[in-house]
Every structure is written in C-alpha cells, then in structure tokens.
Amino acid sequence: MSAFNAIGEEREIDRDEFTPGVEPQPTWCPGCGDFGVLKSLKQALPEVGKTPEEVLTVTGIGCSGKLNSYLDTYGFHTIHGRSLPVARAAKLANTDLEVIAAGGDGDGYGIGGNHFVHTARENHDMTYIVFNNEIFGLTKGQTSPTSPKGHKSKTQPSGSAKTPIRPLSQSLTSGASYIARTAAVNPNQAKEIIAEAIEHDGFAHVDFLTQCPTWNKDARQYVPYIDVQESDDYDFDVTDRQEAAEMMHETEDVLNEGTVLTGRYYVDEDRPSYQEEKAAVGELPEEPLAERYFDDDAEWERSYDLLERHT
Ligand SMILES: Cc1ncc(C[n+]2csc(CCOP(=O)(O)OP(=O)(O)O)c2C)c(N)n1
Ligand code: SF4
Ligand SMILES: [Mg+2]
C-alpha cells in the first residue's frame, strides 16, 4: 500500500481541518498582519481542494516562521533564510506534495536572498509567501531589506541610508512565473491570490504586506490600498513581461510615498516548472522518491558511481 495514499483523495474538505487539534495560542501580537496570512491560507487551501495531508509548509525564522505551528499541514520550521532549499528538496522527493514556503522579508530577501533568486530562476513548482513587514520583527524591529530609506530603528537610529530592494522586480528578473502582492488588510484579495498561487504550476511568489504594530509604528498600516486589477487608473497585461515590469516599478516607487498598490503583476502559464523539465529529460522517478523510505525492498541507485569515477 502506498505511504502517500491520502494524496489525491477526493473528499469534502472543511476549513477547520487546517486548525491543529490541540490549538496552540498564537504568540503573535494583537493586530499583527501575520494573522492575515494564516487566515488566507486556511480559506484558500480547502477552496482549491487540498487536504492537510497533501500540503507541506516550510518556514524560515522570524515571527513569520511560526506560521506552520498554527496551520495543520505537514510542517518544517527550518533555519533562517533556508525555507526555499528545504522546500525544493521536499518537492523533488515527492512531487505530489503541495509545497508552500514562507518567511519574512529579512528571511527571504536578506539572508535567504540567494535562494530566492535561484528558486525563481529555476521555476520550482511551489508557492512562496513573503511576510513583508519592512523590519526584522522577531528580533525587535531592526532595519530589513524592505525598510524604506530614512527608516529609523535601533540599528539605524539616524535613519537608514539604504535604498530598499524591489521584491517584485527582482522576482520578475530572476524568473518567477507568478508574481503578486497582497496585504493582510485586504483579506478577500489575499485569499484569492493565495489560491491562484497554489494552483499555479511553477514558482509563485506572493509579497504579502503584513503590518507590525509593535515594532514598525512608522509603517503605514497599508490602508487604503488599491487593487490594480480593480482600479480604472491602471491598465496592463499581466502576461506581458514589459508591462508587468513597468507596473511593478511604479508599485515599488509609490509604496514608500504612501500609495499601496496590490494585485497580480505577472502570470506566465506557459513556462514549464523545474519538475516538468526534470521529468522531460528522464531525471524524475515516476514514483515519488520519498515512497522508497517505506519500502524495505527498495533498491537505491546512484546517478553515477562515485567509486568508478575515482578509480
Ligand atoms: C543565521 C541567523 N542569523 C540571525 C538570526 C537572528 N534572527 C532571528 S529572526 C531574524 C529576523 C527576522 O526578520 P524577518 O525575516 O523579516 O521576519 P519577521 O520576524 O519580521 O516576520 C533574525 C535576524 C538567526 N536566527 N539566524
Ligand atoms: S513583533 Fe510585529 S511581526 Fe512579530 S508578532 Fe508582533 S506585531 Fe507581528
Ligand atoms: Mg520582517
């Protein structure tokens, strides 16, 4: 019998299934935007027909990293900035898994920035949610890669002299095939975007604006926000790379002036995912590799024989 026989099973799914049986009390502060990510995932996962046992949530370190303590899926709370390599390995070992990687702006755009660029470049099939509160929340409010220029914190008391990174533009340049920005203050849009990202085949990056009322009182609470798909002021084609690039640039420019633009920015349904590319060249086992751990008779082979190579 397959160890993964629950995967792909057709049945009614209730949103409450994603709440752990013994419910830990979230240690997030009252009013934290992280609650918005948790809620949108709990709504989106059953909507796209996923059961808890079909999903793996991999998180980095930070307030954001606590996500999988409060979400009843398989979980891996890994080290700072390393959610993506762990998520990639898990997806390659079991391509049937729905893999969601998540972490903060410091985690993903700072210490893990290298993994972000290359996971997007290779178009690994997963959803990547970055909780963007424009600071290091867990360690008490230091400047992060998305803190605006001039932002005052304990590490930059006179105001940051650094220009923030452009997460949407960087994602596009690197090769992500679905790119969106949403905000915890916009729960309906957040749920829809998370559902689309999960259903997308390829690397789906969601920059999720999450307010930190405790350590980032300077930050706008992302209200009012404008949905670029809903507004008559913006008209661009999300499948056109050039138009998407221009729209992202504008979005990143105006955020620090107080105009919060959100929505879908780029969608490429044609580009094959890394997993599809690997399967096409015959380098992905038909049965999930992870199955072999449950099979005492399984034969393990090397892609090449190391001893032979060194003699
Ligand atoms: C290798 C390493 N360096 C530094 C830290 C300390 N540290 C823990 S969380 C964190 C920053 C978290 O900021 P962010 O990723 O934005 O997450 P948030 O808490 O804002 O959700 C840092 C620097 C660590 N845990 N590991
Ligand atoms: S410190 Fe900020 S990011 Fe962390 S739980 Fe509190 S409000 Fe949320
Ligand atoms: Mg942060």
Side-chain angles (χ1 to χ4, degrees), residues 134-135 143-152 159-164 216 218-220 255-256:
E134 303 181 2
I135 46 141
T143 305
S144 88
T146 52
S147 302
K149 199 168 184 177
H151 171 80
K152 289 187 179 166
S160 172
K162 299 173 183 174
T163 304
N216 200 6
D218 296 349
R220 302 148 309 283
L255 179 65
N256 298 330

Side-chain angles (χ1 to χ4, degrees), residues 34 61-65 79-80 103-108 111 131 133 135-139 142 144:
D34 296 7
I61 298 297
C63 297
S64 40
I79 56 172
H80 202 19
D105 43 313
D107 189 85
I111 189 169
F131 295 54
N133 56 12
I135 46 141
F136 293 174
L138 187 73
T139 44
Q142 298 87 348
S144 88

Side-chain angles (χ1 to χ4, degrees), residues 20 28 34-35 37-39 41 57-60 62-73 77 100-103 129 131:
W28 290 326
D34 296 7
F35 286 104
V37 184
L38 179 65
K39 188 173 174 203
L41 272 166
T57 317
V58 186
T59 57
C63 297
S64 40
K66 299 175 186 174
L67 175 76
N68 45 15
S69 302
Y70 314 134
L71 186 70
D72 203 5
T73 63
H77 193 168
I100 297 168
I129 304 172
F131 295 54

Side-chain angles (χ1 to χ4, degrees), residues 88-96 124-125 273-289 292 301:
R88 288 163 57 156
K91 183 70 183 179
L92 281 170
N94 186 1
T95 47
D96 291 342
H124 287 259
D125 184 15
S273 69
Y274 182 72
Q275 285 66 28
E276 286 168 326
E277 303 263 25
K278 288 285 271 184
V281 295
E283 285 188 359
L284 210 58
E286 277 179 23
E287 288 286 301
L289 199 61
R292 294 191 199 172
E301 76 278 357

